[in-house]
Amino acid sequence: MDVVDFWVRSWTSDDLASARKLMTVDVEVEWNFDAPVDDEEMLQVLHRVAAFADGVTVVARTDAIDGSALIYDLAGPFGTARLVEFLGVEENRINEVRHVYDVTAIDRFFPGLYLN
C-alpha cells in the first residue's frame, strides 16, 4: 500500500506535515499510554520519537485490504523499545491509527515521551 509506505517514510523522517495530509479529518486514534490522545498529540509523540531516536526500523509488516500492522524498533541512546502500529486505510487515506507501545521500555529509554 503506497499510503502506508508514505506514512512510514513521513513520520520516521520527522515530516509531520506530510503524515498529517494522509489522515482523514475524523481519524480515530488510540494508544496504550496512560494519557488521553488525539491525532495532534499522537503526531507530537511521533515527532519526539523521530527527533530523539537513533533510528526507527520497521521489523515486520502485514498488509490487509483495509490497512496494515507494523512493528517498529525505536532505538534510543540507552536501549530499544517496540511500537506496534495498526493503520486503517480507506480510499488512500488513514482513518484509524492504533499504537501499542512497550510502555516499560519507553519509560526507561525515552523518559517523558508522552508527557506534555
Side-chain angles (χ1 to χ4, degrees):
M1 288 185 183
D2 291 339
V3 68
V4 174
D5 293 332
F6 193 79
W7 167 263
V8 171
R9 280 193 311 273
S10 296
W11 86 256
T12 59
S13 66
D14 203 19
D15 181 0
L16 298 185
S18 293
R20 158 55 70 207
K21 290 177 185 175
L22 295 171
M23 296 189 300
T24 60
V25 173
D26 59 346
V27 64
E28 293 181 40
V29 179
E30 292 181 359
W31 65 17
N32 64 323
F33 288 140
D34 187 24
V37 66
D38 61 17
D39 52 333
E40 292 304 323
E41 181 63 25
M42 181 202 58
L43 286 172
Q44 288 306 309
V45 166
L46 292 178
H47 159 70
R48 291 192 286 270
V49 168
F52 182 71
D54 293 333
V56 177
T57 306
V58 176
V59 294
R61 176 176 166 174
T62 302
D63 292 328
I65 293 172
D66 60 348
S68 292
L70 301 108
I71 300 173
Y72 299 90
D73 273 349
L74 312 174
F78 308 109
T80 301
R82 282 254 160 109
L83 161 62
V84 178
E85 180 176 63
F86 300 94
L87 299 174
V89 177
E90 185 176 306
E91 297 179 9
N92 290 317
R93 303 282 307 278
I94 295 173
N95 62 353
E96 295 179 52
V97 181
R98 308 272 186 261
H99 280 180
V100 180
Y101 289 87
D102 177 349
V103 178
T104 301
I106 289 291
D107 287 345
R108 183 179 308 133
F109 303 133
F110 296 84
L113 179 69
Y114 55 93
L115 301 177
N116 282 334

